[in-house]
Amino acid sequence: MNKSFIYRLVSFSQRHSLSVILATLLISIILGIFSLRIKIDPEVKDLIPERTEVNERIEKYGGGEYEREYLIIAVEADELFSLEKLQAFDRAIKKIEVLPNVRESINPFNLISFQKKGKKLNLISMSPHGRAPSTEEELATFKQRILSDFHARNLIISGDLTTLGALFIIDKIDDYTDMISSVNSIVSDLDLFFKTHISSLMLFEHTAKLYLYQDVPKFIILAMIVILFIFYVGFRKKRAVMLPFTIVVLSTLWTIGVMSLLDFRLTFVSIMTPPLVLTLGSSYSIHILNQYYREARLDAGDNSWITDAMVHINKTVLLAALTTAIGFGSLISATISQVREFAIATGMGIIFCAVLSLFFSPAVLSRLSPPTDRHKSRVVEGLMARFMAGLGQRVIHWQFGVIALLIILAGGFILSLHHIEFQTDYTSYFRRKEKAVEDNLFIARKFGTFIYVYISLTAPGGEKNYFLNREVLERISRFEENLKKNPDISYLSSFNSYLKAMNYEMSGSYEIPSKKAMITLLARYLKLLSSADKGSVISGMFVNEDFTQLTINLRVYDSERETFPFEDTFDDLIEQIETEMEQTLNPETNPEIWGPTFAMLDLSSTLTRDLILSVAASFLLIFGVIALSFRSVKFGFWALIPMATGIMLNFIVMSIFNIPLDVVNVMVSCIAIGVGVDDSVHLLIQYRRQERLYKNNMKKMMVQTMIFSGRPILLTSCALIAGLLVLTFSNFMPVVYFGLLVALAIFTTTLGALIILPALLAVRSRGRKSLICKGETK
């Protein structure tokens, strides 16, 4: 008799059990060494999809000048202008300035301004000698300058004059841990004088990194405890606890090791990979052990019955692993790189679990004594088996109620789609209030955030000195003044704004000089400012050498909520700016608006596109795999019904409890499709087997189907739900929501597989029987 490929592989595993075990352990040691090298990446920017046109404009207009990190230190006090307080702040600033990778700073003492002396215009600092005032006279001068300077407000002093700020430009490096530690130590010395606040994306990411380090071991330990408990309750046998536990641990180790080899990192998204592999992978061992105990033969002279058990269950395990891997694999089309890496890593982990379950398990089990009659009886005739038999008898009478429920769920699902919101505000990701977030929000309220948007104009035909033309500058000035009226623009600096500030010092008039000679003269002063120490930070790249390109710098925020301008606000603001550009600027200057923040534009539509594509791919691929496996299009549809029920209920719950879609839980549907269909597959495999045996006895057929498949379905679902609820202990709300939603989806799909699907199959069987009876009557 021809043996199947699976039969030969399992037989090989049993015959060479020791070699298989040793080879598995050797691979595990090698990949375990690599797993220790896995890195953690808390980069928030990686949660925003890369946009080619955004990068091209940054390279075109800014080069590397706009790729830098900012650190803002803000100090708040009832009385800011105190010699003692200002000198303490100055000391802290100077200590930070000399830290490695700190390029330069702009602060209340060194900000460059202008002062008329005779017929000349001198460059001066806010405070005499560019340091904190040391006398009452210097203090008075400092106060007068900082309160009257056009560019100081919302840069180094807040709009309400209660807070001073120092802006540090930081080089990009891989790890800011040492720098942040040093800054925190330096700033702590200011607590005697001020209420201090530190704002920086790198500080936010540092806090996230600390939490990622906490979450990974916490998830793994809790998932292990859950798995051990579920297997003990299900089988009450040491081998039934330790063997599957070993398999999921080794699979997780392999997964992390391969991630390290592929240079994948643990991120906000892939932090879920280890607990998901531990949890989802345990289901295959449950199916195998259930079959192992069910087919155990104590009187057999050899272990061939183990091979038979593995062959009988291999279709369930392989199909379940394949559909789950497809669910994760469909996310490879996602725009966000963190999601793609998560999909690849977790999909690999699922395959590792299935392979080890099918081929490592028989190698170990063949070296152990057969299970006792008592343990076999618990699986075949235990409480859970009796419960499933009773459910199988009742479910065939719930057909019309099930159909009505499906119609209600479909209606609720359609209604809920209109109430689902998208969450692109990464400051809301933390579970608890964090100082890093609170400080960011405080500085946003006081200074209006340090999120930059740039508008660049180019001289028509590359005409040199084009942006020294008064009429051209007047037109741009009108555009800038209109922008300043927008409450969501907290700060504007440009060639024009400095030109007018210098003209104010020279003539007392805040406007573009009327004579080109004065414009040319003041432009030279501005060039001098750009080359001065600290001056380049302020003037940036307003104009190029031959005045053929001009850039306007804007800082933007959400004035209504006094926070960062996330997608909805940012979209509206950019639309307003572009409308103003069309109405005011000369189209021949080809004005373009750009900046790193533009990657956030249309993020919700990107997430929607990813969701639709990945869900469609999951549905089609899984339907195709099941239809081909059963050689029946109908069975492909039957398998999808419980899973579709789970997804519909998920969206209804999200709508009711205002759970938003974000870059993490947008993946829930795809994963729910891949994982949720497993129970349906197992039940359909048993249904087809029982249908051949009890073709004319629908009740017997359904009872036997539930007895054989119900127990492992219930056990695997309990393990998966409990394991996924481990994610609710995360420090990040998207991960918490992800765990809850996938757990809910699996709970619903389990009910669908044990109640809805059998009821619908009963309708099918009754319909077929009716047709047969009519045919016989004719």
Side-chain angles (χ1 to χ4, degrees):
M1 183 177 72
N2 291 328
K3 304 293 185 180
S4 69
F5 177 69
I6 296 295
Y7 185 95
R8 291 196 295 272
L9 278 179
V10 174
S11 296
F12 175 86
S13 178
Q14 285 187 266
R15 289 197 309 272
H16 306 281
S17 58
L18 185 58
S19 298
V20 170
I21 293 170
L22 292 176
T24 302
L25 293 177
L26 179 61
I27 294 171
S28 301
I29 291 170
I30 294 170
L31 290 177
I33 293 170
F34 282 103
S35 71
L36 297 174
R37 302 176 186 176
I38 191 77
K39 296 178 181 177
I40 286 184
D41 180 7
E43 287 265 353
V44 173
K45 293 187 287 295
D46 290 344
L47 293 174
I48 300 173
E50 286 191 11
R51 296 179 59 179
T52 305
E53 67 274 19
V54 172
N55 295 333
E56 286 176 350
R57 288 189 181 181
I58 291 173
E59 185 62 31
K60 177 180 177 181
Y61 293 114
E65 285 298 312
Y66 295 89
E67 288 296 313
R68 53 198 181 191
E69 294 288 347
Y70 294 102
L71 173 70
I72 300 97
I73 309 293
V75 293
E76 181 186 17
D78 293 333
E79 177 51 57
L80 286 175
F81 298 100
S82 154
L83 288 176
E84 185 182 17
K85 290 178 181 178
L86 293 174
Q87 287 168 7
F89 191 28
D90 190 29
R91 287 194 298 272
I93 289 169
K94 285 179 168 51
K95 289 179 182 178
I96 295 175
E97 284 180 330
V98 299
L99 292 177
N101 303 114
V102 176
R103 192 186 301 178
E104 49 194 337
S105 79
I106 287 298
N107 59 69
F109 313 114
N110 72 357
L111 177 64
I112 301 295
S113 187
F114 315 99
Q115 185 178 62
K116 182 180 178 182
K117 192 171 184 179
K119 293 184 178 181
K120 292 184 177 182
L121 192 65
N122 291 336
L123 299 181
I124 59 169
S125 56
M126 284 289 109
S127 183
H129 313 296
R131 52 160 174 75
S134 58
T135 66
E136 291 296 332
E137 182 180 357
E138 288 183 350
L139 178 62
T141 301
F142 168 69
K143 187 173 181 180
Q144 181 273 325
R145 288 177 181 175
I146 200 171
L147 296 180
S148 62
D149 188 85
F150 289 103
H151 292 95
R153 195 72 58 92
N154 280 349
L155 180 63
I156 56 171
I157 187 168
S158 63
D160 61 5
L161 309 179
T162 62
T163 308
L164 292 175
L167 172 67
F168 299 87
I169 287 76
I170 312 293
D171 291 327
K172 282 187 173 293
I173 56 176
D174 291 333
D175 190 356
Y176 293 100
T177 303
D178 292 340
M179 177 181 290
I180 289 169
S181 177
S182 299
V183 168
N184 284 332
S185 176
I186 293 167
V187 171
S188 66
D189 294 337
L190 296 175
D191 291 341
L192 294 172
F193 308 97
F194 304 100
K195 186 175 181 181
T196 59
H197 307 271
I198 307 174
S199 175
S200 175
L201 182 60
M202 67 180 186
L203 188 64
F204 180 91
E205 290 176 345
H206 175 71
T207 305
K209 186 175 183 177
L210 294 178
Y211 280 143
L212 287 173
Y213 274 117
Q214 291 177 17
D215 276 0
V216 173
K218 179 168 59 181
F219 287 164
I220 292 175
I221 292 170
L222 289 175
M224 286 179 176
I225 293 171
V226 165
I227 290 165
L228 289 171
F229 176 76
I230 294 293
F231 276 100
Y232 176 75
V233 170
F235 297 100
R236 306 289 179 89
K237 187 74 174 173
K238 288 181 181 179
R239 73 185 64 179
V241 174
M242 297 312 299
L243 177 58
F245 179 75
T246 302
I247 287 172
V248 293
V249 169
L250 292 181
S251 299
T252 305
L253 198 65
W254 286 20
T255 303
I256 299 175
V258 173
M259 286 177 68
S260 179
L261 284 170
L262 294 175
D263 200 29
F264 289 1
R265 301 189 178 198
L266 288 174
T267 64
F268 280 108
V269 181
S270 62
I271 187 180
M272 298 183 292
T273 293
L276 282 176
V277 173
L278 279 169
T279 302
L280 300 179
S282 65
S283 64
Y284 311 129
S285 293
I286 289 176
H287 285 297
I288 285 172
L289 287 171
N290 194 76
Q291 197 71 22
Y292 167 78
Y293 281 108
R294 181 172 287 280
E295 297 197 22
R297 294 200 295 271
L298 307 181
D299 56 349
D302 55 27
N303 288 327
S304 61
W305 61 271
I306 296 178
T307 306
D308 293 336
M310 294 295 168
V311 170
H312 292 156
I313 199 63
N314 85 89
K315 185 175 181 179
T316 297
V317 172
L318 290 176
L319 266 181
L322 182 58
T323 54
T324 302
I326 287 172
F328 284 103
S330 67
L331 295 168
I332 294 175
S333 64
T335 312
I336 298 169
S337 60
Q338 287 193 14
V339 174
R340 294 195 299 270
E341 290 186 4
F342 163 76
I344 294 169
T346 313
M348 286 191 306
I350 295 302
I351 299 300
F352 291 153
C353 286
V355 170
L356 286 176
S357 295
L358 283 172
F359 305 117
F360 179 74
S361 292
V364 174
L365 291 173
S366 65
R367 302 185 72 82
L368 302 175
S369 59
T372 63
D373 282 331
R374 183 166 60 91
H375 287 103
K376 179 175 181 176
S377 177
R378 181 181 290 118
V379 172
V380 177
E381 302 170 355
L383 178 63
M384 205 174 296
R386 295 195 300 273
F387 171 77
M388 286 300 160
L391 183 62
Q393 292 177 9
R394 292 177 179 84
V395 76
I396 58 178
H397 303 296
W398 299 344
Q399 303 158 27
F400 299 109
V402 164
I403 293 172
L405 177 63
L406 287 175
I407 294 171
I408 293 170
L409 278 176
F413 168 70
I414 293 170
L415 292 174
S416 70
L417 290 177
H418 299 286
H419 300 283
I420 299 295
E421 297 181 351
F422 288 88
Q423 177 63 274
T424 57
D425 178 0
Y426 58 78
T427 63
S428 66
Y429 284 4
F430 288 114
R431 187 168 191 161
R432 295 178 293 276
K433 283 189 174 182
E434 292 297 329
K435 189 175 189 305
V437 175
E438 295 300 306
D439 281 357
N440 269 293
L441 295 176
F442 172 84
I443 291 174
R445 290 193 300 271
K446 292 292 183 177
F447 293 89
T449 83
F450 283 78
I451 294 178
Y452 281 90
V453 168
Y454 307 97
I455 302 170
S456 290
L457 296 83
T458 305
E463 180 184 336
K464 290 185 178 181
N465 296 323
Y466 178 81
F467 291 111
L468 291 179
N469 184 298
R470 187 178 189 278
E471 287 72 24
V472 172
L473 295 178
E474 281 285 1
R475 189 168 184 173
I476 296 171
S477 181
R478 288 195 300 273
F479 170 70
E480 292 178 357
E481 291 304 318
N482 289 339
L483 289 184
K484 288 179 181 179
K485 296 174 186 176
N486 192 314
D488 290 337
I489 296 176
S490 60
Y491 193 80
L492 185 152
S493 60
S494 67
F495 176 69
N496 266 4
S497 69
Y498 272 87
L499 199 63
K500 291 190 287 186
M502 288 188 287
N503 189 45
Y504 181 81
E505 287 295 323
M506 294 293 289
S507 66
S509 177
Y510 187 74
E511 62 181 9
I512 302 296
S514 57
K515 296 181 180 180
K516 187 170 183 178
M518 180 60 74
I519 294 174
T520 303
L521 176 64
L522 295 180
R524 290 174 185 166
Y525 277 112
L526 189 60
K527 287 288 185 182
L528 183 63
L529 170 63
S530 298
S531 61
D533 185 31
K534 316 296 182 188
S536 61
V537 182
I538 297 300
S539 60
M541 294 176 65
F542 292 152
V543 286
N544 60 359
E545 289 293 330
D546 57 6
F547 291 91
T548 59
Q549 184 176 293
L550 180 145
T551 297
I552 302 167
N553 298 351
L554 308 174
R555 292 211 328 260
V556 299
Y557 84 130
D558 184 339
S559 59
E560 183 178 341
R561 289 176 284 192
E562 295 186 317
T563 185
F564 296 88
F566 292 100
E567 188 187 1
D568 52 349
T569 306
F570 193 69
D571 284 352
D572 292 342
L573 177 59
I574 296 307
E575 186 176 338
Q576 293 169 29
I577 294 174
E578 288 177 338
T579 300
E580 189 64 43
M581 286 164 57
E582 291 175 5
Q583 294 175 352
T584 311
L585 295 176
N586 181 359
E588 293 183 359
T589 58
N590 189 31
E592 289 190 297
I593 186 168
W594 58 280
T597 314
F598 276 76
M600 286 197 309
L601 276 177
D602 303 321
L603 182 56
S604 62
S605 60
T606 300
L607 292 177
T608 302
R609 183 194 69 83
D610 287 352
L611 176 63
I612 293 171
L613 283 177
S614 54
V615 167
S618 294
F619 262 107
L620 292 173
L621 289 172
I622 290 174
F623 168 77
V625 166
I626 295 173
L628 286 172
S629 178
F630 286 94
R631 297 179 184 178
S632 168
V633 173
K634 288 183 180 180
F635 271 67
F637 280 115
W638 290 126
L640 296 180
I641 289 174
M643 173 267 298
T645 304
I647 292 175
M648 288 191 294
L649 186 61
N650 254 14
F651 276 94
I652 293 171
V653 169
M654 290 177 71
S655 175
I656 293 172
F657 293 99
N658 295 318
I659 298 174
L661 277 174
D662 53 44
V663 294
V664 176
N665 61 38
V666 75
M667 303 182 295
V668 167
S669 295
C670 301
I671 295 168
I673 291 170
V675 177
V677 79
D678 294 356
D679 293 340
S680 300
V681 167
H682 191 196
L683 187 129
L684 287 171
I685 289 172
Q686 282 300 328
Y687 173 79
R688 174 162 276 188
R689 288 174 182 169
Q690 300 306 320
E691 189 179 37
R692 296 192 196 101
L693 298 173
Y694 307 103
K695 186 182 299 184
N696 298 319
N697 189 337
M698 183 179 65
K699 185 176 180 180
K700 181 74 171 177
M701 176 175 59
M702 197 57 64
V703 168
Q704 288 299 110
T705 298
M706 296 295 283
I707 289 174
F708 274 86
S709 62
R711 187 178 192 277
I713 286 176
L714 200 57
L715 277 176
T716 57
S717 297
C718 288
L720 296 182
I721 291 168
L724 285 162
L725 290 178
V726 162
L727 297 177
T728 61
F729 291 93
S730 174
N731 290 297
F732 303 106
M733 288 311 299
V735 177
V736 173
Y737 288 143
F738 178 90
L740 285 171
L741 291 172
V742 179
L744 174 64
I746 291 174
F747 174 75
T748 310
T749 54
T750 301
L751 293 181
L754 294 177
I755 297 174
I756 294 175
L757 185 56
L760 294 175
L761 290 172
V763 173
R764 171 184 179 271
S765 298
R766 188 166 289 169
R768 290 183 64 182
K769 186 176 180 181
S770 176
L771 288 173
I772 292 170
C773 291
K774 286 181 181 179
E776 290 175 350
T777 302
K778 290 179 181 180

